[in-house]
Amino acid sequence: MAAAGTGSNPDMEIENDNKPINHPKKNEFDLGADFIAFEDSDDEDEPSKTGRPPHKGATNSYFDRPTTEFHGGKRRRPVDEDEDPDEGPMTGPPPGCPWMGHRNYSKMASVPIMLTQELWDFVDYISPTKEEHQIREYVVRLVRKTVKDLWSNADVVVFGSFDTMLYLPTSDLDIVLLRDGGFNKLDLNRLASHLRRSGIANEVTVISKAKVPLVKFKESITGIPVDISFNLTNGIDSGQVISTYINEIPALRPLTMLVKYFLMIKNHNEVYKGGIGSYTTVIMILSFLQMHPQIQVGNIDPMDNLGVLLIEFFELYGLCFNYTRVGLTVRDNGHISKKKDMPTNHRSGRSGQAQKLLLSCIDPNDPTNDTAKGSYSLQKIREVFAGAYGALTQAVQNRDRELFMDDKRVSSSHVQFDDRNRVAADSKQKSSGLHRSTQVSLIKEVYQVPMHIIRHRQKIAKVFLDGTYQVMFGDPIVHSLDLKTV
């Protein structure tokens, strides 16, 4: 990876936060300058040795993944097929890293491969279980019944991450009400009052002055947050587009889960608070994958290079992207557009005020819609992206020194992906420098699982096992759906 530097390039542009951004005239940024180079593989038919799970993102449902055992309330991970029983027991995960299980990461061939495997394990950990999805289906049924009691002619449609399986453990459940004749602001308050009286909702809030008016609440049994919008179908359309892209580009799913979770723990995932919404997040990642030179020419399998790609994503949008001059378009295989030429061209800030840094993302369903125009906290988001880039590169570099390098005095601030530790999808070599004494997380400085998330998931599991909703709706009580739990 090449850091952005000033140099003497006449095409160098300086961002409004004084960070130098290099954007050659050819298409507003050099497709090769800011990405890690990878070697071509000489043995294309050999399977990957990263140990990562199968290409789960290739389907709309996450539930086709291999099942794991439910034992003592915790997830038991499959044993590596190439595990050597003579090498002694593996160590457990470090404190605060429940996604690591008992996998022996240090046995893998290189630090980038370790990073990719740990990220896959993290994605598996935060992805919905069958039980969690079933509980959300019950919540949808409960909300539908309650709304129908108020407005029998209203259609209650769930959309967004619920359908695309891109929701996090504490993600909002997005529901839209559709009715001939529409709704008015009084209807928002009428619905809020009805939800309170029905007893299914806590912390009910009406947001009537936003561009998309909402009624927000937490379902009373599970605490699952619910957002109800009114007579808007663009969310339904965007979900269908995302599902199509996930089928075409499987790596879009794990990267989206990782970036969404990162934005969530940094409190930058709510658009009405200036954050980046799920749809814009998908567009940013999709554009990144579409424009990646090594992916374009088929030199790498993104599913085997998740770690490097995540680092590059944070580098691109944290350090290198020129938000003031260009925007993103993902239709027709994607391209980078000059903002002045975009149909949604808007100026940052108001008259007499300092311009704010804003991203432009063209909605693939509607070229007149900029999905990121409400993300006014982009400057802060850019800073946390840059911080994540620095933390991950430092962690990879430090671990590489510990395991592979005799000379620990390395002056470069970038990870050196040379012939030894470059991610090669079909590499079968194991390093003699690896040891089994300590499990080390490469991502713990960027990703954490707060206790409130763990408790929330435990609560959902308990609600399912207790059969609360099954009794409510007259369904048979089932105590397991091939349980994979936290």
Side-chain angles (χ1 to χ4, degrees), residues 119 122-123 126 166-168 171 251-270 275-286 288-289 306-318 323 359 378 381-382 384-385 388-389 392 443 446-447:
L119 288 171
F122 185 80
V123 170
I126 64 173
L166 291 175
Y167 63 87
L168 303 173
S171 286
L252 181 59
R253 184 189 187 276
L255 283 171
T256 299
M257 294 292 288
L258 290 167
V259 176
K260 280 188 63 174
Y261 188 90
F262 177 78
L263 289 169
M264 183 266 295
I265 61 175
K266 296 296 183 181
N267 295 316
H268 288 308
N269 62 323
E270 296 280 8
I276 295 178
S278 296
Y279 195 30
T280 299
T281 300
V282 171
I283 292 174
M284 293 173 70
I285 298 168
L286 179 59
F288 164 74
L289 293 172
L306 201 61
V308 173
L309 291 176
L310 182 64
I311 289 175
E312 290 180 333
F313 174 89
F314 285 137
E315 182 187 29
L316 174 62
Y317 291 112
Y323 293 93
L359 173 66
L378 190 63
I381 296 170
R382 188 184 189 194
V384 297
F385 280 168
Y389 163 75
L392 288 174
I443 68 174
V446 176
Y447 290 100

Side-chain angles (χ1 to χ4, degrees), residues 59 63 184 218 292 308 332 359 366 432 434:
T59 67
F63 299 142
N184 56 44
K218 290 185 178 180
H292 196 295
V308 173
D332 302 322
L359 173 66
D366 179 6
S432 60
L434 299 175

